[in-house]
Amino acid sequence: MIDGKKVLFSGMQSTGSLTLGNYLGALKNWVTLSDDYECFYSVVDMHSITVRQDPAELRKKARNLLTLYIAAGLDPKKNCIYYQSHVSGHAELAWILNCFTYMGELNRMTQFKDKSAKHADNINAGLFTYPVLMAADILLYQADVVPVGKDQLQHLELTRDLAQRFNSIYGDVFVVPEPYLGKSGAKIMSLQDPTKKMSKSDENPNASIYLTDDTDTIIRKFKRAVTDSEARIKYCPEQPGISNLIEIYSACSGKSFAEVEAEFEGKGYGDFKLAVGETVADTLKPVQTRFDELCKDKAYIDGIIKENAEKANYYATKTLRKVQKKVGFPERIR
């Protein structure tokens, strides 16, 4: 705990561009959590290089992501918003935790299998030990809670196992984190394949709404969105395409599914798609306006990067020094 608050950690990779799914499913909810938690929100750029990246593009995307965190409403005075690569403790703790992780545990990680299939020409050790770095991200700040989706639950379980294993040998060193079970965000699916989550790495640009898409682009993408053959605006499993659009409209308008169905009863998909597009564009406009303002204020963003990196390093170092002492590393002479 920090100043009487439980600690919460989360982060996003600095690859691709943030989508409407990222915003409604996670980022929008993050904004409210700082009232109850001491929050660390990382731009996890170290994770990004398990896949080859263009260096200039990675730096640009990392800065854009950090700026979007703030544009979406995260207060950098109340939340620690920082680059993972600016805190060397992430890598240092990951190495120590590697030595407490069994090969069999990593072999069971389903994301390694999935990513190996997608990047068969670059199956590197970092891709294999990615979950250990994720564990270090969380344990470094003694996080009590971690918001995770179903695809990351396996990694959080490994984090908990490593914390308990280390504690059983050396005493109570790490807080054993719990999954955050508060209000979950909307689950937004691809506009072109509603059986898959909307993804910032989707190769089809029409499948995702990006936070920086202009109004015309947003409306055009919704007009092309996959729907269903029943031609009725009803939320049900048999209509995944239209149900996804109802979920999006509901999340942006604040209306219940029943209210959405009533509003568009007797109307066609064309009218509904246009309404969804316009509502999403209106929802994202304040974020986009703030993002543009922040991008022009280089000194302000640079100051946030420096100040938050110092804060993150302070708390990371406290944990790291304790761990280093426990495993027997020589004390540093200051």
Side-chain angles (χ1 to χ4, degrees):
M1 298 184 73
I2 297 175
D3 296 332
K5 285 185 176 181
K6 287 187 175 182
V7 176
L8 180 147
F9 175 89
S10 194
M12 295 183 186
Q13 281 203 46
S14 52
T15 51
S17 300
L18 282 192
T19 70
L20 180 68
N22 298 129
Y23 178 66
L24 297 177
L27 193 50
K28 189 178 178 183
N29 285 338
W30 287 3
V31 175
T32 63
L33 293 173
S34 58
D35 292 333
D36 299 315
Y37 296 95
E38 184 71 30
C39 299
F40 290 81
Y41 293 122
S42 181
V43 174
V44 289
D45 48 351
M46 290 169 67
H47 285 291
S48 300
I49 64 169
T50 57
V51 176
R52 293 286 174 265
Q53 304 291 339
D54 175 86
E57 192 66 17
L58 182 62
R59 278 189 288 271
K60 178 182 176 182
K61 287 185 180 298
R63 189 178 180 94
N64 282 347
L65 177 55
L66 185 141
T67 305
L68 275 170
Y69 279 178
I70 301 169
L74 288 178
D75 184 345
K77 296 294 183 183
K78 294 173 69 176
N79 305 277
C80 188
I81 303 168
Y82 71 101
Y83 293 133
Q84 181 190 28
S85 62
H86 284 192
V87 181
S88 61
H90 285 268
E92 292 185 71
L93 182 57
W95 170 250
I96 295 172
L97 293 179
N98 267 322
C99 300
F100 291 82
T101 307
Y102 304 132
M103 293 290 288
E105 291 174 314
L106 295 178
N107 280 326
R108 289 194 293 272
M109 295 290 125
T110 56
Q111 281 211 348
F112 172 70
K113 297 170 186 175
D114 294 342
K115 291 190 176 184
S116 295
K118 289 181 182 178
H119 305 282
D121 60 335
N122 181 27
I123 304 175
N124 57 71
L127 196 61
F128 187 62
T129 60
Y130 172 103
V132 183
L133 178 57
M134 184 178 288
D137 298 338
I138 297 165
L139 299 180
L140 197 58
Y141 300 100
Q142 304 289 0
D144 296 278
V145 292
V146 183
V148 287
K150 288 182 179 179
D151 57 339
Q152 298 291 352
L153 268 176
Q154 192 182 35
H155 290 167
L156 183 60
E157 281 305 313
L158 177 65
T159 302
R160 288 171 50 82
D161 289 344
L162 290 176
Q164 290 166 342
R165 186 173 302 152
F166 197 92
N167 288 350
S168 70
I169 299 170
Y170 298 109
D172 292 331
V173 177
F174 293 122
V175 171
V176 180
E178 299 285 345
Y180 173 71
L181 300 175
K183 180 183 177 183
S184 60
K187 186 178 181 182
I188 307 303
M189 311 304 282
S190 163
L191 297 185
Q192 294 300 308
D193 182 358
T195 65
K196 299 191 312 183
K197 278 175 61 177
M198 184 177 287
S199 170
K200 56 194 178 85
S201 61
D202 200 308
E203 294 180 359
N204 184 349
N206 289 314
S208 301
I209 301 295
Y210 301 109
L211 294 198
T212 52
D213 280 346
D214 60 37
T215 297
D216 289 343
T217 300
I218 291 170
I219 290 174
R220 185 179 71 251
K221 287 182 178 181
F222 275 110
K223 284 182 177 179
R224 295 175 178 175
V226 170
T227 48
D228 313 280
S229 59
E230 295 191 29
R232 62 187 183 126
I233 298 165
K234 177 78 174 172
Y235 191 93
C236 61
E238 293 77 24
Q239 298 192 99
I242 202 67
S243 293
N244 185 40
L245 297 186
I246 292 173
E247 179 103 37
I248 292 170
Y249 188 77
S250 170
C252 291
S253 67
K255 297 176 182 179
S256 69
F257 293 168
E259 288 172 328
V260 176
E261 291 171 359
E263 180 182 352
F264 291 93
E265 185 176 1
K267 294 184 179 180
Y269 282 170
D271 291 337
F272 184 51
K273 287 181 177 182
L274 178 60
V276 178
E278 290 175 341
T279 302
V280 168
D282 289 344
T283 298
L284 296 184
K285 183 61 71 176
V287 178
Q288 294 172 346
T289 300
R290 181 62 175 147
F291 176 72
D292 291 341
E293 292 171 353
L294 290 168
C295 286
K296 295 172 185 174
D297 196 344
K298 183 177 184 298
Y300 173 74
I301 295 298
D302 286 348
I304 294 302
I305 290 170
K306 182 176 184 295
E307 182 180 321
N308 281 252
E310 289 171 351
K311 179 179 178 180
N313 270 295
Y314 170 78
Y315 287 105
T317 299
K318 285 179 68 174
T319 298
L320 190 61
R321 293 293 175 263
K322 184 188 295 185
V323 172
Q324 290 169 332
K325 182 177 181 180
K326 291 291 187 181
V327 299
F329 290 172
E331 187 175 346
R332 301 190 181 201
I333 308 301
R334 294 174 177 81

